[in-house]
Amino acid sequence: MTRRNSTGDSFFAWEGDTLVVNILGKPNAARNVIGKPKGTQLKVSVTAAPVAGKATDHMVRFLAPLFGVVTADIEVVFGRENVNKQLRIKAPKKLPAVFTQSSLLPAED
């Protein structure tokens, strides 16, 4: 079964109160930072090395407070050991600025 992109043309989508985010990860970065959307993915850089999913685990710990959730509320759907990944964030209490900026942008044809 092929997994469809549930976020459509955006890097994120809502499924009820769960935020689904497509991530383009960049391990071994100089600092932990949320970058700009790149197509249907959001670039997220982390300082951790890409060893056995440790960079993804580090990313989840970095992102949790930015969304106002605990790490257990972030599920890595796929891509734990890949730069292309999808996260499901259960009932985020806040959103980083990139989400509010892109939700104001008109849809591109």
Side-chain angles (χ1 to χ4, degrees):
M1 180 176 127
T2 305
R3 185 173 190 91
R4 290 191 43 166
N5 181 356
S6 61
T7 61
D9 293 334
S10 178
F11 66 89
F12 72 98
W14 289 95
E15 290 181 4
D17 66 348
T18 299
L19 180 64
V20 180
V21 187
N22 293 323
I23 303 283
L24 174 62
K26 182 178 184 315
N28 287 329
R31 58 195 176 107
N32 298 320
V33 66
I34 294 179
K36 293 191 167 99
K38 191 172 168 89
T40 59
Q41 293 179 301
L42 178 63
K43 190 170 179 189
V44 178
S45 302
V46 293
T47 56
V51 179
K54 288 192 183 341
T56 299
D57 295 344
H58 183 89
M59 181 183 293
V60 167
R61 288 192 301 274
F62 163 63
L63 292 174
L66 300 177
F67 287 93
V69 298
V70 295
T71 56
D73 288 336
I74 300 181
E75 174 196 354
V76 180
V77 180
F78 62 81
R80 188 164 179 274
E81 296 186 15
N82 192 298
V83 294
N84 301 301
K85 53 189 92 258
Q86 187 175 79
L87 305 179
R88 292 176 60 86
I89 304 170
K90 191 166 53 178
K93 297 180 184 46
K94 56 187 179 178
L95 294 174
V98 68
F99 287 86
T100 52
Q101 290 161 358
S102 34
S103 61
L104 298 174
L105 296 176
E108 291 180 9
D109 290 323

